[in-house]
Amino acid sequence: MGTSAEKDSHTASVRRDVWFESGGVRCAAWLYVPTAEGGPRPLVVMAHGLGAVRGWRLDAFAERFAAQGWVVLVFDYRYLGASEGSPRQLLDIGDQLDDWRAALAYGRSLPEVDPDRIAVWGTSFGGGHVLRVASEDHGVAAVVAQCPFTDGPASLLSRFRAGPLSMIGLVIAAVLDVVGSVFGARPVLAPVVGVWWMPAFLVSPTAIAAATKLIPAGSRLSPRTARVLARLPAVGKGLSPTVETGGQPFRPGDTAVGRDTIWGVMTGPDGDSANAIAARLALRLPLYRPGKDLRKIAAPTLLCVCDDDRAAPARATARLAAGQEHVQVNHYDGDHFDIYVGDLFERAVADQIRFLTTRFTAPAGR
């Protein structure tokens, strides 16, 4: 269902706000449709990573794909961003996989789409999801996984090395969150990115600054978060200028996030988001190993791996991809968030377009 339309003269496409249903919940999405006339077109279905939303630079990738004459569907998972669902900021692996399946079903129903030329594109945690989904859905023509989360134990070990004490804090928060959920309490929120002493899922000295480079210009921090940064300037060191720490205050309770948190609530031109998700996920992450599904995927698969990645260790991904003839691994110098911006973004998106072009123009059955 389209609710608005916006023409992008650079990509010669129209972006519509649409939604599809998953598990009884409406997931919000952008649908890019090229303006030029033509028959059924390839489709690229896209979603983000751990707690992130589509406005965090997925539009930059989508515009490049739409410029190739492809239809592009970019969605937010339930409980996050512009999508519906309660409690907010919950990340359930099974639910997110169901959201991917629902997005593919919706994409296949579109009259503009060639159902034999559909690719799934996921980044970070979503990069792991597309491996799991493509291993089950052999109708997918191509897979692109960027900085993919492939191996829970490897990511857990990397996180423990980055901050053992704060890792213990994250686990305690996760246990409290699970116990509270039994009694209907609101989720205990833990930061997605943070510095060594924070009970965050991803910890490094530059994680916060690097992650904010993905945030749309004009985004504003909640008053509570702005006060924390004022008292602890080291936490916000290198914060992207796209994030405004002052300006007109807003009420976090009125945003899609629905509450404030010291870890960061933001509102901006592309919606509301937070540097926080339900802590209970920390107990599930070590058990999630979507990289093992690589051998079950029938479609050609491109893995774009950052060699200094601390959230999704490159060595584990390369090991799981070794010997898989249908898997291509491209390596890039950088950490987890570097591939979304600047020169690495340009290199990666060009490589992805070349890969997808080859698959979308290949004869049927190949």
Side-chain angles (χ1 to χ4, degrees), residues 141-153:
V143 182
V144 177
Q146 178 176 277
C147 297
F149 177 98
T150 56
D151 189 75

Side-chain angles (χ1 to χ4, degrees), residues 116-153:
D116 293 324
R117 293 188 293 167
I118 295 179
V120 289
W121 185 102
T123 187
S124 188
F125 208 55
H129 288 338
V130 296
L131 302 183
R132 174 64 52 86
V133 169
S135 73
E136 302 168 348
D137 186 340
H138 291 171
V140 169
V143 182
V144 177
Q146 178 176 277
C147 297
F149 177 98
T150 56
D151 189 75

